[in-house]
Amino acid sequence: SPSRKCSAWRGGSGWLTGRRWATGRAESRVGGLESFKTTVKAKGLSILSDMPREGGGEESGPSPKDLAMAALCACTSMTIQTFARGLVRTGKLEEGALSAVHVVAQDNTKVGQHMPESVDVGITLIGDTEALSPKVVRLLHTAASKCPVRRMLEGQMGGGISEVMRVGKSGEVDG
């Protein structure tokens, strides 16, 4: 059974409650109607996103779906890593037994459609195969399913997504 500190994995309040780093914020800007090239900013870093050529873009950066899959991979890896640290602290996993987590996410979108029907996620735990017992692997698999980005993509946000649109003059940007 998960330790008391990991009660958040069961959906209750726990160690993540109130942690500011668990929030996310990003903004994007696309100039005009000529190109899909969009600058996305998060935490002071900029990423160029674009549509694939078959969608009218220039493929000068990852598509929005690519970015969503990247977010899912990063979040899944970090969620497993965080839970594994808890297992190490409670003595259920040897220090250094898990040396890496490799995650691949692929959306399943039918030709001619925009919305994926599903997403396949493959997770490889790299490390000491004896220390990564079937019980530990089951615990880490359960942890992976609690990834907040996954839960968002599955529509598990209690408040949904709210948006506000306004009209501004050229050069005006909300902060």
Side-chain angles (χ1 to χ4, degrees):
S1 85
S3 74
R4 183 170 159 76
K5 280 193 163 204
C6 294
S7 63
W9 299 114
R10 294 189 303 272
S13 62
W15 62 273
L16 283 178
T17 304
R19 294 215 178 174
R20 190 71 185 142
W21 57 263
T23 64
R25 182 181 189 284
E27 62 182 79
S28 69
R29 183 178 178 111
V30 62
L33 302 177
E34 303 81 40
S35 171
F36 284 114
K37 289 182 187 178
T38 303
T39 302
V40 180
K41 292 184 180 181
K43 303 277 186 198
L45 301 173
S46 294
I47 301 167
L48 183 64
S49 181
D50 198 358
M51 295 293 287
R53 283 188 177 80
E54 60 269 14
E58 299 173 30
E59 287 191 51
S60 58
S63 74
K65 281 195 243 178
D66 292 332
L67 293 174
M69 294 300 97
L72 178 59
C73 287
C75 184
T76 300
S77 297
M78 292 177 193
T79 301
I80 290 170
Q81 180 185 35
T82 302
F83 193 80
R85 286 177 179 175
L87 293 176
V88 169
R89 276 194 306 276
T90 59
K92 295 176 183 165
L93 182 63
E94 296 172 26
E95 181 83 34
L98 180 63
S99 58
V101 179
H102 182 237
V103 180
V104 177
Q106 173 68 53
D107 73 271
N108 297 307
T109 305
K110 287 187 174 180
V111 175
Q113 299 294 311
H114 296 286
M115 177 63 92
E117 292 189 354
S118 62
V119 173
D120 293 326
V121 177
I123 303 167
T124 303
L125 304 175
I126 301 166
D128 181 341
T129 56
E130 288 184 30
L132 294 170
S133 67
K135 180 179 179 180
V136 168
V137 171
R138 276 194 307 277
L139 289 171
L140 296 177
H141 189 247
T142 298
S145 71
K146 305 300 181 187
C147 158
V149 170
R150 175 183 174 150
R151 295 176 67 207
M152 285 173 36
L153 290 171
E154 290 176 336
Q156 294 182 28
M157 294 183 296
I161 297 175
S162 64
E163 56 191 45
V164 175
M165 186 179 289
R166 71 180 190 93
V167 175
K169 295 178 184 172
S170 183
E172 284 186 342
V173 178
D174 280 347

